[in-house]
Amino acid sequence: MTDQAQLLPGTLDLLILRAVSLGPLHGYGILLRIGQISGNALLIEQGALYPGLFRLVRQGLLKASWGTSENNRKAKYYELTAAGRKRLQQETDNWNRLANAIRTALSAEPEEA
Amino acid sequence: MNFLAYLRSVSSKFLHHSRTAGEMEDELCSHVQLRADDLESTGMSRAEAERRARIEFGGFERYREESHHALGGSFIETLLNDVRISYRKLRKSPGFTLVASLTLALAIGANAVVFAVLNGLILRPINVPRPASLYGLERGSYKAVNHSYPDYLDFRNRNRTFEDLAAYNLTSVGLDTGSGDPVGSWIMETTPNYFDALGIQPYLGRLFHASDDHGPNSVPYIVLTHAFWHSHFHDDPGVVGRVVQLNKHPFTILGVAPPDFRGTILFVFPDFWVPLTNQEQVEGVYDLNERGKRNLLMVFGHLKPGVTPAQAVADLNSVGAYLEANYPKDDSQMYFTLTRPGLAGDWFGGPLRQFLSGLMLLAGLILLAACANLGNLFAARAADRSREISLRLALGSSRLRVVRTLFTEALMISALGAVVGLWGSIVILRGLSTWQPLPTAPLTIPISPDAKVYFFALLLALASGLVFGAVPAMQTFRTNPYELVKSSSGYRTGRRMTVREVLLVVQIAICAVLVTSSFVAVRGLVRSLHANLGFEPRNAMLVETALSMAGYSGDAVPAMQKRMIDTLQAIPGVQSVGLVDRLPLYYGANYTNIFSDKTSDLRPSNVAARPTMYLISPEYFQAAGTSLLSGRAFTWHDDTSAPRVAVINRQLARKIFGSVSAALGGYFKLENVTRVQVVGIVEDGKYETLAEEPRAAMFLPILQSPSTQTALVIRSERDQQEIAAAIKRTVTGLDSGLPITLRSWNQELESALFASRMATLSLGVLGILGAMLAVTGIFGMAAYSVSKRLREFGIRVALGAKRAELLHTAMGRALKLLAFGSAAGLFLGILATKVLAYIVYQATPNDPMVLGGAVLAMSLLGLLATWIPARRALNVDPNLLLREA
């Protein structure tokens, strides 16, 4: 567990959107999906997911409805709205630009004078 | 952010508060269960799995709270919380809440009432299609709205800028619906194109049109107002086609106008409309062919699309120039201005507008004073709570949050005040709109509180809440929590004026303005009650009738008038009976141009004087109590076969002859070239309004200038009830079909006094409100400062301070502020009363009674307000106070 990375502030929302973009999921499912697609490399406290989820619902990026899980438990399922899909695209682009820039900056070799 | 989604989230949370909370809880629990299921499948026991799941979930409570916030609605939540806290705080001090919200209720109520009247009379146009392009014509430097019919025809036919021009006149007729007993009705005589020019469609039946006009008396039709149809014909649709008698002439009811159209004058609702074409039947005379008879009350019409008022004026002026050139005898000053038709032109609308605007301003001042007052109270409360507030600040509450609480409290008070104030104003307005201020005229005040009024009150409440909430809020922003927690009390006594003191001075100044103006108004009213009217209304009864209503015309009129005078004279106890065509001080007067005897060119520019004209019987002066200064009154021999004679008043004698003695026996000319000899001179009186300057007046004998308009003045010392019954019997005995109104002259004068009474009443109410605010303001300030300094006073007393010194310390500052504010207010009040001079008789602020009264009133108010706090300061018991500390 110690090799898991702490989340950067603001990135949880992006991960939730990404996880949900692959299909409707309940909260616990989202956590599992994030673990799965990130290779379990990120440390997320389970409860921290929910304020983020509700925030996204309030912003109209996700919509929620009650359903039943595979093992017959009542659970709330989330899926992307059109606005959510657009936002995911934007945020992904932003993130890639930022990551590239930082990678480039960090990997730059000092040039000979 | 998707705003709709936000709103949905907030509203669902707000409306289904517990459900949302429950759902969230369910969801979090379901998460834990799902995790536990997974853990269980790895071989853990169920209990262990659930324990682990809960640990992995993290701080359940914390996330629940954060989720709650994330769901939105925290604003509403905080607001509700604030409201709850404020409610509790206000409940804890019911006295404060009551005083504060009542103060505001009075102020907002006063504003709502004045605004509703302003809205009904001035802001709202008359209820016709396309009111924006509807204009009335005003002529010359007097802005006269009355025009003659031939002039009207020329305006209508020669202008190129109006779609159409229509005209109307207000008059009364005797209406007989078949009972044989005619009832007096107020009607609008209109040109036949009236409804078409306005674009009015019938509610029932049809309306009359220009095409119905085939010369005099050819349009015997009437159109009922919806209200009259409702009240007199009980909404019977069968009235269309029914024949009724107007002044004994048959007229057919054509139709009913729509309910929201009540004529083209805002404050007089006629019963029905009659075509002007039939003037002879309605008024008993036909003078529509006389260019000099300007008896149309108003000419108006819609501008053609795209035509500006300036273009219309230029167009009318060119028509006017043509008329002046072609009819120099009759037409002068033929240049025009346009006016809104609803208020019968600027001669009436102007002063009304000015007065109502003035009243609105004063009402606004009341509200401002109330805000200053409440700001003061709130600031004092906030100062008392300064320890609480600084503690909250010190414990990490944000200033914004504290200020929000304060504002919530202020807004709650103002909302409460607005609700109470609005409720009161609606009650008052309901009363006003059904009120018929004058029994003899169809005068109404067309106000109904509409959405605009409610919105206005709401706006005022919000604005005032923010204004007086801002005072303590400002204090909070300046609060240094550290300083305040350290020292025990925030009260400082410095030389500099604090915000609260400035507020108090402003408030007192405003109140002094109100008190001064109401004094001026009351004083003016008292004076007008004691003015020399030129007649004696006491012990005089009036019988008014229009003989034309009962079908009298020609020679039958003077014969009937003489019979009425003679039979009334025979009633025991009657001293004298006089007849006049139109009573003085009763809805305007008749005017005529006269020329000096030497003038031979009788064009309007050579007029020597334009006196009011009365046609009277020989005994009129005696019956009216008008004193004859020199010469003689008329006799029954001053008839058509005798030389033409006149009696003039002192003012007219001075104006055309230079002096009373030169006037007696002198000659002047009437408009129709008749030479008239002055045989008597009477005292000056009031003719049109009580506020008028001395005016020229002329009296002509009724036998030489007959009129069907008949007002009989019956002077008797007998009991009013008795004599009234005798008069009624006598007149009915002469002709039972004659509609008469019978009342005492004092009752009749109500109409003349109406404007100044209303002005005095409204200003009086505002003055009392102002005085109340001044008292509570000074009281609040003095009481607060005394309570803050009780310990200091205790020490002073213990050290041997004398009562006078103590009083000076306790009250000096408050009284100084009072004096300062009053002086400023008095000065402003004197400036403001110039506006009043339009309405109130002799409203002059340069009156020692007014100045003295205002100063005395303010001092009394100050004394009253400081009395209780001063006593408290004097009765301070040093032992008790020192021990307490």
Side-chain angles (χ1 to χ4, degrees):
Chain A
M1 291 279 268
T2 45
D3 55 346
Q4 283 184 321
Q6 286 277 352
L7 274 183
L8 283 174
T11 47
L12 179 61
D13 287 8
L14 179 55
L15 287 174
I16 294 174
L17 289 177
R18 173 65 187 149
V20 173
S21 76
L22 306 171
L25 287 170
H26 51 67
Y28 180 60
I30 292 173
L31 274 180
L32 292 180
R33 179 67 57 80
I34 291 176
Q36 182 197 351
I37 58 182
S38 68
N40 280 325
L42 295 168
L43 175 74
I44 304 169
E45 204 178 7
Q46 295 184 7
L49 176 73
Y50 287 92
L53 268 179
F54 294 140
R55 200 161 44 240
L56 292 171
V57 170
R58 199 180 88 187
Q59 292 174 4
L61 303 178
L62 294 183
K63 60 183 179 206
S65 54
W66 285 97
T68 324
S69 73
E70 318 81 69
N71 44 359
N72 255 338
R73 287 202 184 274
K74 223 175 95 169
K76 208 172 196 178
Y77 280 78
Y78 292 89
E79 56 186 314
L80 274 188
T81 63
R85 200 164 292 285
K86 221 166 92 191
R87 175 69 66 85
L88 174 63
Q89 190 57 49
Q90 278 172 6
E91 294 284 313
T92 311
D93 292 350
N94 280 347
W95 179 261
N96 286 337
R97 259 200 304 281
L98 180 72
N100 276 333
I102 292 192
R103 196 171 33 244
T104 315
L106 294 181
S107 61
E109 293 290 328
E111 279 180 32
E112 297 293 323
Chain B
M1 184 201 297
N2 186 334
F3 185 67
L4 266 178
Y6 168 74
L7 270 188
R8 216 176 302 131
S9 155
V10 167
S11 65
S12 76
K13 193 168 162 198
F14 190 58
L15 295 171
H16 319 288
H17 187 260
S18 54
R19 211 182 80 195
T20 320
E23 258 187 37
M24 201 167 63
E25 191 116 8
D26 285 351
E27 191 178 359
L28 299 189
C29 288
S30 119
H31 177 107
V32 172
Q33 293 299 326
L34 284 167
R35 177 63 187 159
D37 288 350
D38 273 8
L39 290 173
E40 202 180 1
S41 66
T42 62
M44 233 178 261
S45 74
R46 181 71 200 176
E48 178 60 16
E50 284 191 7
R51 203 181 69 87
R52 277 292 302 273
R54 267 198 292 277
I55 292 171
E56 280 180 17
F57 189 83
F60 191 88
E61 279 303 315
R62 181 184 141 210
Y63 288 124
R64 193 171 65 173
E65 202 150 290
E66 277 182 24
S67 303
H68 209 75
H69 256 264
L71 256 184
S74 69
F75 173 79
I76 304 254
E77 201 105 309
T78 329
L79 187 71
L80 281 179
N81 216 13
D82 281 346
V83 168
R84 258 193 303 273
I85 295 174
S86 305
Y87 174 71
R88 250 181 257 141
K89 272 194 192 124
L90 292 178
R91 266 197 60 175
K92 252 197 247 165
S93 39
F96 168 80
T97 310
L98 190 76
V99 168
S101 47
L102 261 187
T103 307
L104 212 57
L106 288 175
I108 288 180
N111 273 280
V113 169
V114 176
F115 179 76
V117 176
L118 194 75
N119 181 38
L121 281 175
I122 302 211
L123 301 182
R124 199 160 41 189
I126 48 176
N127 208 345
V128 296
R130 297 180 293 135
S133 62
L134 191 70
Y135 286 97
L137 269 55
E138 289 181 324
R139 184 189 68 249
S141 58
Y142 288 109
K143 302 210 161 201
V145 286
N146 59 327
H147 305 279
S148 72
Y149 192 73
D151 278 351
Y152 154 75
L153 289 179
D154 279 318
F155 300 154
R156 192 186 74 190
N157 299 335
R158 291 173 188 277
N159 88 80
R160 289 184 303 274
T161 44
F162 284 88
E163 287 176 359
D164 197 359
L165 282 174
Y168 69 82
N169 199 5
L170 271 180
T171 186
S172 57
V173 293
L175 169 73
D176 179 358
T177 54
S179 64
D181 187 18
V183 186
S185 274
W186 281 91
I187 60 162
M188 256 186 197
E189 274 184 295
T190 68
T191 51
N193 63 347
Y194 179 81
F195 295 108
D196 293 329
L198 289 170
I200 301 293
Q201 296 301 320
Y203 176 80
L204 199 70
R206 74 172 185 99
L207 309 171
F208 46 75
H209 306 285
S211 53
D212 292 320
D213 188 353
H214 304 291
N217 294 338
S218 65
V219 200
Y221 304 134
I222 66 173
V223 171
L224 305 179
T225 60
H226 190 274
F228 192 72
W229 177 58
H230 175 76
S231 63
H232 284 68
F233 295 96
H234 314 292
D235 294 341
D236 173 17
V239 295
V240 175
R242 224 169 107 181
V243 175
V244 293
Q245 305 282 321
L246 293 194
N247 293 352
K248 310 263 181 209
H249 298 284
F251 277 72
T252 308
I253 298 175
L254 268 193
V256 178
D260 51 0
F261 177 65
R262 310 202 67 178
T264 30
I265 188 160
L266 274 171
F267 47 90
V268 178
F269 294 160
D271 295 332
F272 48 91
W273 290 272
V274 182
L276 193 58
T277 324
N278 288 39
Q279 189 204 26
E280 191 190 345
Q281 295 175 340
V282 174
E283 294 184 40
V285 286
Y286 186 82
D287 53 17
L288 293 186
N289 46 10
E290 291 176 45
R291 199 170 283 275
K293 284 263 187 188
R294 307 191 188 280
N295 51 8
L296 297 180
L297 191 60
M298 186 97 205
V299 173
F300 63 91
H302 279 291
L303 293 184
K304 281 181 184 163
V307 171
T308 65
Q311 287 168 333
V313 166
D315 182 29
L316 287 170
N317 286 348
S318 70
V319 176
Y322 164 84
L323 292 175
E324 270 185 59
N326 282 275
Y327 308 101
K329 254 187 75 181
D330 292 316
D331 286 349
S332 68
Q333 291 219 341
M334 280 288 170
Y335 53 91
F336 298 88
T337 42
L338 296 182
T339 181
R340 289 289 166 199
L343 290 174
D346 285 345
W347 65 269
F348 183 82
L352 185 73
R353 202 168 297 140
Q354 235 148 358
F355 177 68
L356 282 178
S357 313
L359 217 55
M360 194 73 244
L361 190 75
L362 290 181
L365 285 180
I366 286 266
L367 189 64
L368 208 61
C371 283
N373 196 341
L374 291 181
N376 236 329
L377 282 177
F378 267 82
R381 253 168 84 85
D384 283 339
R385 276 163 52 189
S386 57
R387 275 177 71 85
E388 174 211 324
I389 287 173
S390 42
L391 244 151
R392 281 171 65 181
L393 289 178
L395 290 177
S397 174
S398 76
R399 274 167 208 266
L400 213 63
R401 190 77 181 68
V402 171
V403 166
R404 243 175 90 164
T405 321
L406 291 173
F407 268 116
T408 311
E409 216 174 300
L411 286 175
M412 275 176 75
I413 292 273
S414 69
L416 195 66
V419 168
V420 176
L422 203 57
W423 174 78
S425 66
I426 286 171
V427 171
I428 293 175
L429 288 171
R430 286 255 166 82
L432 270 182
S433 57
T434 54
W435 184 44
Q436 285 241 320
L438 300 172
T440 50
L443 199 65
T444 47
I445 301 167
I447 35 171
S448 47
D450 56 6
K452 241 193 258 173
V453 175
Y454 300 134
F455 181 71
F456 179 74
L458 191 77
L459 204 70
L460 284 184
L462 198 70
S464 48
L466 289 178
V467 166
F468 66 74
V471 177
M474 262 160 31
Q475 275 186 340
T476 311
F477 272 115
R478 274 187 314 225
T479 304
N480 178 349
Y482 181 61
E483 284 297 318
L484 267 164
V485 176
K486 249 185 1 181
S487 69
S488 65
S489 154
Y491 191 83
R492 286 173 307 159
T493 46
R495 295 208 72 98
R496 222 168 47 96
M497 290 239 278
T498 63
V499 180
R500 289 217 299 278
E501 287 172 335
V502 173
L503 281 178
L504 188 68
V505 169
V506 169
Q507 188 205 329
I508 291 172
I510 292 171
C511 296
V513 168
L514 295 165
V515 170
T516 311
S517 12
S518 56
F519 262 105
V520 171
V522 170
R523 183 84 173 127
L525 184 68
V526 169
R527 275 203 200 158
S528 61
L529 289 174
H530 291 105
N532 181 20
L533 302 174
F535 56 85
E536 177 51 66
R538 267 180 306 165
N539 294 329
M541 297 297 292
L542 301 176
V543 170
E544 284 165 83
T545 180
L547 291 175
S548 56
M549 284 192 199
Y552 291 88
S553 62
D555 286 343
V557 174
M560 179 61 184
Q561 286 171 333
K562 182 81 173 75
R563 262 176 66 206
M564 285 171 80
I565 293 171
D566 289 343
T567 39
L568 287 170
Q569 183 80 67
I571 297 174
V574 169
Q575 294 163 345
S576 51
V577 178
L579 182 151
V580 63
D581 64 326
R582 187 168 193 156
L583 288 161
L585 291 178
Y586 184 55
Y587 308 116
N590 291 324
Y591 290 90
T592 187
N593 288 336
I594 60 171
F595 302 86
S596 91
D597 197 30
K598 295 184 243 7
T599 311
S600 53
D601 184 7
L602 302 188
R603 59 172 69 224
S605 51
N606 291 339
V607 162
R610 190 171 162 71
T612 48
M613 176 180 71
Y614 296 98
L615 310 177
I616 60 168
S617 75
E619 302 86 0
Y620 170 75
F621 292 130
Q622 212 186 336
T626 305
S627 47
L628 196 64
L629 299 178
S630 64
R632 66 171 177 92
F634 302 128
T635 70
W636 286 108
H637 301 294
D638 293 318
D639 54 17
T640 37
S641 58
R644 297 293 301 262
V645 290
V647 170
I648 60 177
N649 75 347
R650 188 203 290 260
Q651 183 71 18
L652 184 57
R654 286 219 189 97
K655 195 161 179 187
I656 53 175
F657 297 103
S659 72
V660 172
S661 50
L664 198 60
Y667 286 89
F668 60 87
K669 278 180 186 154
L670 295 180
E671 268 177 322
N672 54 6
V673 208
T674 319
R675 275 183 91 212
V676 179
Q677 190 183 22
V678 175
V679 293
I681 294 156
V682 293
E683 63 177 329
D684 291 339
K686 299 287 174 200
Y687 305 105
E688 201 167 1
T689 68
L690 285 168
E692 73 193 11
E693 294 292 309
R695 226 178 238 279
M698 168 179 79
F699 300 84
L700 298 177
I702 190 108
L703 288 183
Q704 291 180 347
S705 320
S707 164
T708 60
Q709 294 293 322
T710 305
L712 292 158
V713 181
I714 300 136
R715 184 159 295 280
S716 167
E717 302 276 347
R718 270 177 69 183
D719 174 70
Q720 214 181 72
Q721 301 280 325
E722 262 177 54
I723 196 79
I727 291 169
K728 176 96 188 151
R729 259 198 318 277
T730 312
V731 178
T732 323
L734 282 175
D735 182 346
S736 58
L738 194 63
I740 65 163
T741 53
L742 172 70
R743 62 176 62 80
S744 75
W745 207 339
N746 268 328
Q747 282 170 322
E748 188 77 79
L749 281 180
E750 298 281 314
S751 66
L753 286 170
F754 178 64
S756 55
R757 280 228 173 108
M758 282 311 288
T760 310
L761 184 71
S762 40
L763 286 167
V765 168
L766 289 182
I768 289 169
L769 280 181
M772 275 165 57
L773 284 176
V775 169
T776 50
I778 300 164
F779 174 78
M781 154 95 181
Y784 177 71
S785 82
V786 164
S787 75
K788 276 288 159 190
R789 293 170 68 189
L790 267 185
R791 256 172 70 195
E792 178 198 333
F793 294 144
I795 295 170
R796 280 174 190 262
V797 171
L799 292 179
K802 291 201 181 70
R803 285 169 72 87
E805 285 167 355
L806 200 60
L807 211 56
H808 178 75
T809 325
M811 294 295 121
R813 188 117 183 140
L815 289 177
K816 218 178 279 173
L817 294 176
L818 174 71
F820 190 54
S822 305
L826 221 57
F827 179 69
L828 289 174
I830 286 167
L831 291 182
T833 48
K834 295 222 165 104
V835 181
L836 285 178
Y838 284 96
I839 309 271
V840 180
Y841 174 64
Q842 287 185 355
T844 162
N846 309 325
D847 179 344
M849 289 285 278
V850 168
L851 284 176
V855 169
L856 192 70
M858 290 312 288
S859 332
L860 278 177
L861 291 177
L863 207 61
L864 186 72
T866 47
W867 180 252
I868 296 171
R871 290 204 45 142
R872 199 164 157 217
L874 286 179
N875 291 340
V876 70
D877 180 353
N879 289 324
L880 210 69
L881 279 161
L882 289 175
R883 218 179 297 135
E884 232 173 49

